Amino acid sequence: MRIYPLEKSLNLTIDDIAADKSISHRCAIFSLLSDKPSRIRNYLRAGDTLNTLKIVQLLGAKVEDNGSEIAIMPPQKIKEPNEILECGNSGTAMRLFMGLLAAQEGFFVLSGDRYLNSRPMARIAKPLNDMGAKIDGVNNANNAPLCIRGSKFERFSFEGKIASAQVKSALLLAALYSNGCKFSEPELSRDHTERMLAGMGADIKRDDLEITLEPMKAPLAPLDIDVPNDPSSAFFFAVAALIIPGSHIILKNILLNKTRIEAYKILEKMGAEIKFHKTSSKYEDIGDIEVRYSPNLKGVEVSENISWLIDEAPALAIAFACAKGQSKLINAKELRVKESDRIAVTINALKQCGVDASELEDGFIINGSEAKFATIDSHGDHRIAMSFAVLGLKCGMQIEKSEFIATSFPNFAEILKKMGARVEDRAC
């Protein structure tokens, strides 16, 4: 992908941001928890979430898609497939399916692309195996392909050492089909799973950082949901509006869950002019986000609620690079094991752009600098590619391996063009 510098300010309303990826994955997977059809509107039709939908079909569900609504009729019993369940580039899908399938009768094989198959899975496999599951795979089940021989296990207690919505969700799904659990985490991670399970009628309770879940005695109620737009996807355009002089944008129908808008709150601390307008609440708070050009962004140190902004960190780094003074992100070692080593890849790319930046073991330091055109390697990480496309709106950018953007945000380049950007996007 080649991005050329913008020649005008951004003044528009964006209502076609990609639907929320985390909730879309869960909608497809959680439809299997009911015995009645779930109805999902605004489901994200991107590579990863379409893979999840296909896996649900291979597990026995019937899927009908009329273009505006997807209806998923779950099977009476999860089917043992006769082919590999391909998760593409999605760690969310692989880890949630690990928990779900660990407690089912049958044999299942999960795999993904070469980037996903290099990501750590022992954080899910080990606790499940300790509780009686049978999961094997490459490097002692730390990497996919993963083989799962499902079996129910006893009630368990688990104390998480890191705040991870994927670990939490996997163990809750396994417990739901077994004998329940007590789960605690060091800080609140994304809570979509708890909210959606509660909305479907699961016996789940939260007391501060501890969750108690009772086993599923009967199928849960089906979902009937409009998936909100993804705040993580919208964040790229929020950063663009902040750094392009004279800009004013409104991002429509965005998920406003507090565990998903922390990066916007960091921007506010930097001096950004951002307003939130809540429009509805059902499973989640939803609304619009208004962002104006903010020429006096200042450096900031970020050390808390890191799990709430882990996906936005590369784009936040772009805001840091365009701010005055030094910014620092720490306690974010999890960035090392995302779709790429996001600490190393982000900092190397910024250095290529002439920005004064350095790695820390668990984060990075960035001194606001004038960026210049560069050719950067995204290492197959869609969020790295999109983040540097945003920087390219200021100084131009050539981004290698940008085709991976389609796994989460298929119309990203189209929105850039609507904003007035000149984009050569053959790779997208």
Side-chain angles (χ1 to χ4, degrees):
M1 173 187 278
R2 174 72 181 264
I3 309 289
Y4 293 85
L6 271 176
E7 297 178 354
K8 61 179 183 178
S9 60
L10 306 175
N11 287 280
L12 72 164
T13 295
I14 306 177
D15 58 7
D16 52 351
I17 298 290
D20 191 81
K21 188 178 179 185
S22 296
I23 292 181
S24 292
H25 280 305
R26 284 165 173 78
C27 283
I29 296 168
F30 292 5
S31 69
L32 297 172
L33 307 178
S34 183
D35 60 353
K36 297 180 176 63
S38 287
R39 302 193 178 279
I40 307 157
R41 292 164 296 280
N42 198 39
Y43 185 86
L44 177 61
R45 289 171 172 82
D48 284 347
T49 47
L50 291 175
N51 283 333
T52 296
L53 209 55
K54 182 179 179 182
I55 291 173
V56 166
Q57 289 178 285
L58 290 172
L59 295 175
K62 294 180 180 178
V63 177
E64 295 180 1
D65 184 356
N66 65 12
S68 59
E69 180 181 87
I70 294 176
I72 304 177
M73 173 60 78
Q76 288 186 341
K77 180 182 177 183
I78 288 178
K79 171 186 169 185
E80 185 178 52
N82 60 3
E83 59 185 280
I84 292 172
L85 304 176
E86 294 287 352
C87 300
N89 191 243
S90 177
T92 298
M94 181 170 283
R95 288 169 175 146
L96 267 63
F97 276 121
M98 286 174 70
L100 175 75
L101 298 176
Q104 309 298 321
E105 289 182 21
F107 178 74
F108 312 91
V109 179
L110 294 168
S111 190
D113 65 21
R114 65 188 181 95
Y115 296 100
L116 178 58
N117 285 1
S118 68
R119 293 177 64 185
M121 296 296 154
R123 61 180 62 183
I124 308 276
K126 186 178 187 311
L128 288 174
N129 282 337
D130 288 346
M131 293 158 198
K134 299 169 184 172
I135 301 174
D136 199 5
V138 179
N139 293 331
N140 234 357
N142 189 42
N143 302 115
L146 295 163
C147 301
I148 302 172
R149 175 68 69 181
S151 61
K152 291 189 177 182
F153 34 90
E154 296 303 312
R155 187 179 184 88
F156 63 85
S157 294
F158 182 82
E159 184 178 339
K161 303 301 182 187
I162 60 171
S164 168
Q166 294 176 359
V167 172
K168 173 172 62 179
S169 299
L171 296 187
L172 290 178
L173 286 170
L176 196 63
Y177 274 98
S178 294
N179 289 289
C181 74
K182 184 175 287 186
F183 181 96
S184 64
E185 53 188 350
E187 65 180 46
L188 177 65
S189 61
R190 292 181 179 182
D191 59 355
H192 305 312
T193 291
E194 303 97 288
R195 287 172 177 267
M196 292 176 72
L197 289 180
M200 296 174 74
D203 187 355
I204 185 168
K205 296 179 177 64
R206 173 178 280 280
D207 182 11
D208 193 20
L209 297 177
E210 186 174 273
I211 298 169
T212 301
L213 175 67
E214 299 304 324
M216 188 167 62
K217 296 177 181 175
L220 301 182
L223 289 164
D224 186 0
I225 185 172
D226 292 277
V227 179
N229 292 335
D230 191 336
S232 301
S233 296
F235 191 72
F236 300 107
F237 305 114
V239 172
L242 291 177
I243 65 175
I244 302 297
S247 297
H248 174 217
I249 65 171
I250 298 174
L251 304 161
K252 300 287 289 184
N253 193 41
I254 306 298
L255 175 67
L256 299 182
N257 181 304
K258 74 174 184 177
T259 68
R260 297 295 303 282
I261 59 170
E262 181 70 7
Y264 294 86
K265 298 298 183 180
I266 299 302
L267 292 179
E268 286 186 313
K269 291 178 182 177
M270 296 174 69
E273 187 177 342
I274 300 177
K275 295 180 181 177
F276 301 90
H277 307 284
K278 188 165 73 172
T279 56
S280 65
S281 296
K282 187 177 179 182
Y283 295 101
E284 300 274 5
D285 289 343
I286 300 169
D288 302 334
I289 302 177
E290 183 178 4
V291 187
R292 291 183 184 273
Y293 170 60
S294 302
N296 296 313
L297 293 177
K298 61 183 185 295
V300 68
E301 181 165 330
V302 182
S303 60
E304 297 178 341
N305 295 330
I306 301 301
S307 65
W308 296 5
L309 51 76
I310 207 77
D311 283 340
E312 292 84 359
L316 198 57
I318 302 304
F320 290 173
C322 296
K324 295 180 175 68
Q326 185 178 94
S327 294
K328 185 177 183 181
L329 175 73
I330 58 174
N331 298 329
K333 198 169 184 179
E334 182 72 6
L335 287 170
R336 296 277 187 193
V337 292
K338 298 297 286 182
E339 282 82 344
S340 67
D341 179 340
R342 285 183 175 160
I343 294 174
V345 174
T346 298
I347 296 308
N348 286 338
L350 283 175
K351 286 180 177 178
Q352 287 179 270
C353 296
V355 175
D356 181 6
S358 57
E359 288 186 46
L360 302 172
E361 181 182 359
D362 62 346
F364 44 70
I365 295 173
I366 298 171
N367 292 294
S369 314
E370 189 70 30
K372 64 182 182 181
F373 172 86
T375 297
I376 69 104
D377 185 348
S378 72
H379 289 260
D381 190 322
H382 54 115
R383 297 196 190 277
I384 298 288
M386 290 186 282
S387 297
F388 281 85
V390 168
L391 186 57
L393 296 176
K394 277 185 71 74
C395 59
M397 199 71 60
Q398 176 74 35
I399 303 162
E400 304 299 328
K401 302 185 181 71
S402 62
E403 65 271 20
F404 288 90
I405 292 172
T407 66
S408 66
F409 201 159
N411 64 326
F412 177 74
E414 180 183 324
I415 294 177
L416 287 181
K417 292 174 183 177
K418 186 169 71 173
M419 293 164 63
R422 182 182 165 199
V423 182
E424 294 175 358
D425 62 324
R426 289 186 297 272
C428 282

